[in-house]
Amino acid sequence: MTHFDAASAAVEAALAAGARYADARAMHRRYESMTARNGAVTALLENEDAGIGVRALVGSSWGYYAVPDLGTAAARRAGGRAAEIAAASASVPGPAIDLVHVDPQVGTWESRCDEDPLAVPLSEKGDLLTGVTATAHRAGADVAQALYQIWTTGTWLVSSAGHRVEQHIRKSGAGMSATAIGDEETQRRSYPSMRGDYGTRGWELVREIDLPANAERIAEEARALLTAPLCPAGETTLIIGGDQMMLQIHESVGHAIELDRILGWEAAMAGTSWLDLSKLGSLRYGSELMNIVIDPSIEGALGSFGFDDEGTPAQRRYAVRDGIWVGVLAGRDSAAVAGLDYGGSVRADGWARMPMVRMTNVGFEPGPHTTEEIIASTDDGIMVESNRSWSIDDKRLNFQFGCEIGWEVKNGKRGRMLRNPTYTGIGPTFWQSMDMLSNDVVPYGTPNCGKGQPGQVGHTAHPAAPARFQNVRVGVRG
């Protein structure tokens, strides 16, 4: 029996139990991670699991049921149970859910992987992490930490509409941080960003990140921040580095354009959105430099796939074009409710969770400037990098971010280091103030996006680049 056989048995059982539509995902997953601190390995985690999850649609309601068993009998029980749950929910009157049409897909997709990350010896991985943390510790970090993570997932999707899709996706990445402890506060520097960097790639990505080349630098910067002047408070020209812009996009654009949030489906857990569907296609989100693309087809980016968990093929589309809001992240059911004709952004973090609208790769198209040009054209401002803290309201409108490090920019040159830089804003006002955008776009991977009830951890990526904003409030007012 194949994994497709198990998924097909689950779908057949759901239909026999009264579902008008059903799909099933058989999955096999492996995960490996290692952490090190101050030159010693502190944890090694290896997990492997397999199971099948079934969605069944009855009337106005979905039912979902999952089992950690890929046998035919277990799959049939899961399919029948999913239909029973849907029928019980549908007993409460409500409008029937339609699904946006997608041509049934039959095919396979596999992410590119030049070096199998699970085949790299643990000794080599351990030497990498212990080596960089020892270097950072010697260079002045009181606490130096590093980690890598690896995910390998096989998925076999079958639907009652005729989908039969197989995908194999390997993901990996790494990161490190250095913390310096002073008399009254601590300071941290991270590389390549607060949570590292990740992609649908093999161990070659970890090699390219090059932790050893940056270990000493981040330790020295963390130590220097303890005595650096405090970021001044007031309104100023703000240049945001790419690794912080990644989170700015994630929080104030990516979550805001999730259609289930816009419709209120996530209000109880993740919140809603300030966006109003009646203004799709006309609302000015940002300046004309703002072009945000939803693109799960970017090779190597963490939010990439061949098909989403409903079997919709990966497709590139605009979310914001020339500053105008034109697109959303959607699934087949939410798109139908909203009167749209596309889905393609539905995923789950495993076989035990129901698929839901999630970010894929959401980020900038390249701007017309270089980072050097942005700095050189700034007479008086502040540049910030690397997230330290974030806060944003349930509508994804009002936000405040703290960064690890800042610099004065005077007369077109980056000057002295600043500690504890923060900035705050209101989404559309902030984005409309963007007057320069770099062409140095990097698809930063974010492996820890939380959403849903019960909670799910999503893997997303955000093509981001340094950008300049006018009249932004920075610092903390006394």
Side-chain angles (χ1 to χ4, degrees), residues 246-255 359 446 449 460 462:
M246 169 267 294
L247 190 66
Q248 181 73 57
I249 293 170
H250 180 97
E251 299 293 348
S252 69
V253 181
H255 278 306
M359 282 179 255
T446 304
C449 176
T460 73
H462 303 288

Side-chain angles (χ1 to χ4, degrees), residues 51-374:
I52 188 166
V54 190
R55 292 195 311 172
L57 183 58
V58 176
S60 61
S61 299
W62 286 106
Y64 191 78
Y65 198 79
V67 292
D69 188 336
L70 293 178
T72 302
R76 289 189 178 279
R77 287 195 302 272
R81 185 63 177 139
E84 291 173 5
I85 293 169
S89 299
S91 63
V92 178
I97 293 178
D98 294 319
L99 302 177
V100 168
H101 174 74
V102 174
D103 290 334
Q105 302 294 312
V106 177
T108 62
W109 188 84
E110 184 172 5
S111 60
R112 177 176 174 178
C113 178
D114 295 336
E115 185 177 8
D116 182 356
L118 292 177
V120 177
L122 287 174
S123 58
E124 180 181 339
K125 297 168 180 171
D127 288 345
L128 171 65
L129 299 191
T130 57
V132 297
T133 56
T135 296
H137 188 50
R138 288 193 301 269
D142 293 290
V143 179
Q145 297 176 297
L147 84 160
Y148 72 80
Q149 297 184 85
I150 297 166
W151 301 265
T152 299
T153 304
T155 305
W156 294 262
L157 171 69
V158 172
S159 82
S160 58
H163 290 82
R164 190 179 176 92
V165 173
E166 179 178 358
Q167 297 192 88
H168 294 272
I169 301 178
R170 285 179 283 194
K171 306 174 183 178
S172 63
M176 64 181 176
S177 67
T179 300
I181 302 173
D183 293 334
E184 297 181 353
E185 65 181 27
T186 63
Q187 293 291 337
R188 183 191 71 206
R189 286 294 285 130
S190 304
Y191 176 80
S193 67
M194 178 180 64
R195 300 194 184 278
D197 193 21
Y198 299 85
T200 53
R201 299 182 60 192
W203 195 252
E204 69 275 6
L205 174 59
V206 177
R207 298 192 191 282
E208 291 172 15
I209 290 171
D210 198 358
L211 298 180
N214 293 276
E216 185 173 340
R217 174 184 63 82
I218 65 168
E220 292 172 348
E221 289 181 354
R223 181 60 57 184
L225 280 167
L226 290 174
T227 55
L230 189 66
C231 177
E235 288 191 358
T236 190
T237 300
L238 181 67
I239 301 171
I240 302 177
D243 62 342
Q244 168 62 24
M245 184 56 64
M246 169 267 294
L247 190 66
Q248 181 73 57
I249 293 170
H250 180 97
E251 299 293 348
S252 69
V253 181
H255 278 306
I257 63 172
E258 291 168 336
L259 185 53
D260 54 352
R261 294 178 63 110
I262 296 171
L263 293 173
W265 294 3
E266 275 291 305
M269 179 62 180
T272 57
S273 172
W274 66 276
L275 295 170
D276 181 341
L277 275 176
S278 67
K279 298 180 180 179
L280 182 64
S282 62
L283 174 74
R284 177 156 293 282
Y285 207 120
S287 74
E288 292 184 355
L289 285 174
M290 187 182 187
N291 289 288
I292 299 288
V293 175
I294 301 165
D295 188 2
S297 67
I298 300 173
E299 184 176 81
L302 188 61
S304 295
F305 49 78
F307 308 86
D308 78 348
D309 282 352
E310 294 185 307
T312 302
Q315 184 175 351
R316 184 183 190 272
R317 61 170 36 89
Y318 281 94
V320 179
R321 189 165 194 174
D322 299 330
I324 304 299
W325 176 43
V326 295
V328 298
L329 295 153
R332 296 178 64 193
D333 54 357
S334 57
V337 169
L340 304 176
D341 62 357
Y342 60 87
S345 300
V346 166
R347 290 185 293 163
D349 70 358
W351 52 266
R353 293 290 182 263
M354 185 167 177
M356 63 191 303
V357 174
R358 299 308 301 257
M359 282 179 255
T360 59
N361 304 313
V362 179
F364 282 142
E365 285 189 325
H369 311 106
T370 67
T371 303
E372 292 74 19
E373 287 172 344
I374 294 174

